[in-house]
Amino acid sequence: TYFFGWGAVLVLVGVIMKFIYTWVMGVLHYYNGDYEPRGEDQDDPFSVQESISAYVPQVYSNIFSCPLLAANLDNVDPELLDWETTDPKYPYSFYDLTKDAEFLLRGKNIADRKMFSVISHWPPTPEDMAAEKQAALEANKGAQENAEAVGEDGANASAGEE
């Protein structure tokens, strides 16, 4: 029974140590993370993309031909929406549910309440856009030069083999 007692104590200590180790590693992993990027930076700024769309919370209805917007879009460029109104006499604000809520709840202060999503958009200034386009052009030019250099080296290598 003497060996059995010490064996049980060793097993208990081992289980406790394993529990502590697992807990500590979980906490370290939670705070340090393990993200590793894949691929290379494409040097392609978001604001110079031809097709940009933003996430806007929407409610689909069988009554309306376009989705109802569950966010105020007063300070957002309509170009960020990935759909167009089907009737030109109804702008995007026609589908904005925040306008309906203000009308239905008039007299009540709804500005302090978080009933709808908040969307913000800070478009780049024309100077920033020009700088981003220039940087993208230079990056593309550098990539083309590298590709041409690799192509020439490959052509020279194959010519030497003949």
Side-chain angles (χ1 to χ4, degrees):
T1 60
Y2 176 78
F3 292 112
F4 178 75
W6 281 110
V9 168
L10 286 175
V11 168
L12 183 61
V13 168
V15 168
I16 291 172
M17 293 296 288
K18 174 68 175 167
F19 175 75
I20 291 172
Y21 173 79
T22 303
W23 182 78
V24 167
M25 294 309 287
V27 169
L28 290 175
H29 180 72
Y30 179 78
Y31 285 106
N32 292 333
D34 62 352
Y35 172 74
E36 297 214 7
R38 294 185 196 165
E40 297 293 322
D41 182 8
Q42 301 298 309
D43 292 322
D44 226 1
F46 180 74
S47 55
V48 298
Q49 299 298 314
E50 292 181 22
S51 174
I52 298 175
S53 67
Y55 171 74
V56 178
Q58 303 172 6
V59 177
Y60 293 94
S61 169
N62 293 333
I63 298 171
F64 294 96
S65 60
C66 295
L68 302 173
L69 305 170
N72 187 334
L73 296 179
D74 288 343
N75 298 320
V76 176
D77 184 4
E79 292 293 320
L80 294 176
L81 295 173
D82 57 357
W83 55 272
E84 295 187 20
T85 59
T86 54
D87 191 346
K89 69 180 179 179
Y90 295 120
Y92 290 104
S93 60
F94 177 79
Y95 302 100
D96 188 347
L97 291 175
T98 62
K99 309 285 191 235
D100 295 334
E102 289 171 0
F103 177 76
L104 292 172
L105 301 172
R106 62 187 171 271
K108 298 187 188 224
N109 186 9
I110 64 169
D112 297 338
R113 304 206 173 138
K114 306 278 188 227
M115 294 190 284
F116 292 99
S117 296
V118 176
I119 298 177
S120 299
H121 175 232
W122 292 275
T125 62
E127 296 83 23
D128 291 341
M129 288 286 287
E132 287 180 359
K133 283 184 181 179
Q134 184 62 33
L137 287 173
E138 289 174 6
N140 288 338
K141 181 180 174 185
Q144 286 177 349
E145 289 172 357
N146 288 341
E148 289 172 3
V150 169
E152 289 173 6
D153 290 343
N156 291 338
S158 63
E161 290 174 5
E162 292 179 9

